[in-house]
Structures are given as structure tokens and as C-alpha cells.
Amino acid sequence: MTSSPEDLMKRLGVTLDAETLRLALTHRSYAYENGGIPTNERLEFLGDSILGFSVTDALYRDYPDLPEGELAKRRSAVVSTRALAGVARQLGVGEHIYLGQGEKRTNGMDKASILADTMEALIGACYLNHGIDVARDMVMRLMGPLLTDAAALGAATDWKTYIQEYAASRQLGPVLYEVTGSGPDHARVFQAVLMMGGTAYGTGHGNSKKEAEQEAAGDAWRHLNPAPVES
């Protein structure tokens, strides 16, 4: 690690006790290799709920004229894996995550899914140590700028939802994803091809099927070049 846990907490803007912080940073791959110690997955579950509520509350209060559908899209963008991973990279979270040897060899510290899950675990840890008000303040300090950043919202857009709506409105046929995987289990890479009405519209790659499908949907959206997404 090139920075200390104290440095990480300064960037997060909160202090966490050593035990809770370590738990929040313990990936299941590390726990498995070290005798089945507790992982950060329960904290992730808790943090996910706090994140969703905090962003939903802010959107409801700050955008009184937006309809429910647009509020949902914005929430989806801000709490997406890509958005959370982006914030985690800015904070340097990756270098502090406890990973198993397999994940270390495949650069797990920079995998979007691992970074996003760890961010949610850190939010959960903040809640356990300080309560809901401090946890919500942390969420809005870190994620709040994305609510008004059009570029960030565009980068974090749930492209699968937009493609689904686009296909339905133009009767292009069902949206299907043909996903294949390659490589060993500890370094699996997936490729997705988005199909509509039997025609391929986009491709994507990722460390999970979900990431590959999301990238394929974004690729298809750019190729179709519909009207820009409002932000």
C-alpha cells in the first residue's frame, strides 16, 4: 500500500475503528484463503440500502419537477457499478482492499465490481460507527456531485434500460444478450453481443456477465445514435 488507512479515511471524510474498516475492506477471496474469516458482504448489503435511500431522498428533494421515471434513471446512474467504481478509484480504495492471490494476479484492485462492492461496504461501515446522518453525509459528499454532473451521469447510464425502452418504442423485437466466457475461473472474461430482432447491434467485454452486457448495450446505443439522453 502506498497510503495508510488513515489517509484513506481522510479521503472518505470519516473515521472508522480499525476492526470495522478492515472488515469493510476484506474481499471474499482473501477470507477464503485465510480460514473463512468474515467478509465485507454483509456490510455491502447494508451500505447498498443506505446509498440507495440517500440518493433517492436527494433526488426527490432537489428535482421536484422530474417525473418518477426520470428520477429512477438518475438514481440508477448514480448508484451504478461504474459510478461507484469511479469514485473508489478517485479515493484510491483499491490498494487497501484485502484480496486473495488469484484476484491480486488479475488486478482485482481495479475491477469495477470489487471496487463498487467495497464502496458500499465502506458506507455500511460508516453507518455502523456513526449512524445514519453521518453515513448520508458521506454518501452525498462522495456521490452527490454525480447528480448534477451531466458527463458523469452519461458515463454511468444504465444503457440496458435505455436500449430496452428504445427497442420497445420502435418495435425492434426482443433484446437478447449472447454471452460467452473465456479464461480460467480466477480470471474469467466475458463477451456479450446485443441482439435485437435477430440482428447484432453492439458488443461488450467485462469481468462479469453484467459488465459485458452493459458495455454491449452502450455500444448498441452509440451505433443507433438516438436523441441524446437528457441529464
Side-chain angles (χ1 to χ4, degrees), residues 19-48:
E19 182 179 357
T20 304
L21 177 61
R22 185 180 179 90
L23 180 60
L25 296 170
T26 300
H27 187 256
R28 63 176 178 272
S29 62
Y30 181 89
Y32 177 77
E33 292 181 7
N34 288 271
I37 61 176
T39 76
N40 64 3
E41 291 177 348
R42 281 173 54 84
L43 280 178
E44 175 198 337
F45 171 77
L46 180 61
D48 176 67

Side-chain angles (χ1 to χ4, degrees), residues 59 62-63 74 78 143-153 231:
L59 284 168
D62 294 344
Y63 297 93
R74 289 185 177 229
V78 174
M143 308 301 297
L146 298 181
L147 294 173
T148 55
D149 186 337
L153 282 172
S231 56

Side-chain angles (χ1 to χ4, degrees), residues 46-65:
L46 180 61
D48 176 67
S49 295
I50 296 166
L51 170 66
F53 169 73
S54 300
V55 171
T56 300
D57 180 66
L59 284 168
Y60 184 85
R61 295 176 186 277
D62 294 344
Y63 297 93
D65 298 325

